[in-house]
Amino acid sequence: MKSSIIADKEKIDIIEKDKPVSDGHKVVIKVAYAGVCGSDLHYWHYGDTWSKGWIMGHEFTGYVEDPGDRTDLKKGDRVLCMPSKACLECEFCKEGRTNCCEAPLTNAIGIGTPGGFAEYVMVRSHLPQKLEDNVPLIDATLVEPCAVGLAGASKAEVKEKDSILIVGGGIIGLMNAMWAKKMGAKNVVLVESGDNRIAFAKQCDFIDTVIDAKNEDCLEQLLKVNGGEMYDIVFECVGIKATLNGYIDVIKSGGKLMLLGVPNEEIPFRFNPIVVRNISVIPSHAWTFEEFKETLKELTEGKLNLKQFVSDIKDFEEIQSVFENLASGDTKDIKVLLKVFGE
């Protein structure tokens, strides 16, 4: 089979590998589409060190090739993979907090375990989620990042009449904005510095206002579009010093700062205003099984429009150029899918 592999720093090769064979328990999936995540770009960048040799890809859909021990699946069934490393045995897993499981990265699809940037992939049998006939594979491929948004908005306990500021117009910021509006937030504002992302966000009907972070009076504009008031909840979806510290001053006393951006290095943090003004700092990483399945349920019931986030679909063999474009800093893409076998 054809498989991608991180060959070196910012270099992916397509190679021939043996097709995975089920051990009688695990499920083999013939990959249809795989989404490129920001974390994949990070792994690609460090391809000459710790990520060398990885087969990435944790957002993917496909067809059952071998159902393993899943008696409810058969060859050809359309499935979405739930890419969790959860062990299912620890206290967190037993409590349903699967995103807190401390299982090693060797359990993680697309990291320690081969992922969906290949023609076939083998996964633990509880991970494939069977798709109803009305759910397109393309849409379902975006369930994973959408579930990240649901987890963040749920953990923030967004309620009606809340004012929400989303920092960062990438896919995670957009998904958090969408869920916040679905939960009844009265005002959802997004701040972003990239012109292409600003243009895209302005087209989204779940975002009330988009502010350019490059404006010198950015903070004043943010207050103005919220009726002169500070925000109940700020979602930080970038993970760099400027965004982590730059919007604390527009959070209400007693408000919340949600951390969804994952920094690549240690970042100094402005603790003084956080402590003095009793602002809750709440991290949100990944999702629980329940949140992932709830996202898929919403999609199945026609309550989510995920195809709107798909900027482009590229052939699997173009994976290196796709990564180069996404890392260029001048891309118009929000979410790019790789077509492996397709529909």
Side-chain angles (χ1 to χ4, degrees):
M1 71 169 188
K2 291 181 180 178
S3 174
S4 71
I5 188 170
I6 301 179
D8 208 336
K9 180 180 177 66
E10 299 183 355
K11 187 175 188 298
I12 297 175
D13 287 342
I14 301 290
I15 64 172
E16 285 290 330
K17 288 182 65 72
D18 291 337
K19 178 180 171 181
V21 178
S22 175
D23 57 3
H25 299 287
K26 293 182 178 179
V27 178
V28 178
I29 298 173
K30 178 182 178 181
V31 179
Y33 297 99
V36 180
C37 174
S39 61
D40 294 322
L41 291 173
H42 180 62
Y43 309 148
W44 174 74
H45 177 72
Y46 288 98
D48 58 340
T49 55
W50 46 268
S51 61
K52 191 169 187 175
W54 287 7
I55 300 173
M56 298 181 289
H58 58 274
E59 305 171 5
F60 61 93
T61 52
Y63 309 90
V64 173
E65 181 71 7
D66 186 330
D69 63 8
R70 284 283 294 272
T71 57
D72 61 324
L73 294 178
K74 64 181 184 303
K75 183 173 180 176
D77 281 347
R78 300 158 65 254
V79 292
L80 160 68
C81 182
M82 180 172 64
S84 172
K85 70 180 181 68
C87 71
L88 308 183
E89 298 176 354
C90 68
E91 61 174 308
F92 299 114
C93 289
K94 290 177 180 178
E95 293 172 355
R97 296 189 291 157
T98 47
N99 58 338
C100 292
C101 177
E102 297 182 352
L105 287 178
T106 51
N107 280 19
I109 295 173
I111 303 179
T113 298
F117 292 167
E119 291 185 325
Y120 295 89
V121 59
M122 184 166 64
V123 302
R124 291 180 292 162
S125 62
H126 64 284
L127 298 178
Q129 308 295 303
K130 187 174 181 180
L131 298 175
E132 298 293 337
D133 293 340
N134 67 305
V135 179
L137 287 166
I138 289 174
D139 300 58
T141 307
L142 274 76
V143 164
E144 196 281 334
C146 189
V148 173
L150 171 59
S154 298
K155 202 167 185 181
E157 299 180 325
V158 175
K159 58 185 182 298
E160 291 185 11
K161 298 184 179 181
D162 275 346
S163 54
I164 306 294
L165 174 61
I166 306 291
V167 181
I171 190 67
I172 299 304
L174 294 169
M175 292 298 189
N176 273 275
M178 182 178 68
W179 281 108
K181 183 60 76 172
K182 281 174 66 67
M183 291 178 178
K186 70 174 181 179
N187 190 26
V188 177
V189 178
L190 185 142
V191 60
E192 165 65 46
S193 61
D195 293 338
N196 292 322
R197 287 184 171 183
I198 289 172
F200 183 88
K202 286 182 176 180
Q203 301 173 22
C204 297
D205 60 5
F206 50 83
I207 297 174
D208 296 295
T209 310
V210 181
I211 299 296
D212 190 338
K214 298 188 297 297
N215 294 337
E216 291 184 3
D217 60 345
C218 174
L219 295 184
E220 289 80 2
Q221 289 185 35
L222 289 174
L223 295 175
K224 181 178 179 180
V225 299
N226 197 41
E229 300 290 331
M230 293 185 178
Y231 290 82
D232 295 294
I233 308 171
V234 169
F235 289 84
E236 200 288 324
C237 303
V238 182
I240 61 175
K241 179 180 178 181
T243 54
L244 185 61
N245 288 286
Y247 299 95
I248 292 173
D249 294 330
V250 297
I251 306 174
K252 283 182 179 178
S253 291
K256 300 172 186 175
L257 174 60
M258 301 299 301
L259 304 182
L260 286 94
V262 181
N264 293 327
E265 58 186 358
E266 291 187 7
I267 296 176
F269 188 57
R270 295 176 56 210
F271 278 103
N272 184 274
I274 293 290
V275 175
V276 171
R277 299 177 53 235
N278 287 292
I279 294 171
S280 298
V281 179
I282 306 172
S284 181
H285 180 66
W287 33 261
T288 64
F289 285 6
E290 181 181 358
E291 288 161 341
F292 191 96
K293 293 176 180 180
E294 176 62 24
T295 303
L296 178 56
K297 180 175 179 288
E298 290 275 309
L299 176 63
T300 303
E301 294 176 353
K303 298 177 182 178
L304 293 174
N305 174 14
L306 299 187
K307 191 168 290 184
Q308 65 180 308
F309 301 107
V310 178
S311 307
D312 204 353
I313 300 175
K314 295 288 190 180
D315 288 337
F316 175 51
E317 289 78 5
E318 298 180 68
I319 185 170
Q320 174 66 23
S321 63
V322 167
F323 272 68
E324 290 173 355
N325 176 57
L326 290 173
S328 69
D330 190 37
T331 180
K332 295 181 180 180
D333 294 319
I334 298 298
K335 175 60 69 172
V336 176
L337 303 187
L338 297 172
K339 179 182 178 182
V340 185
F341 282 104
E343 299 281 357

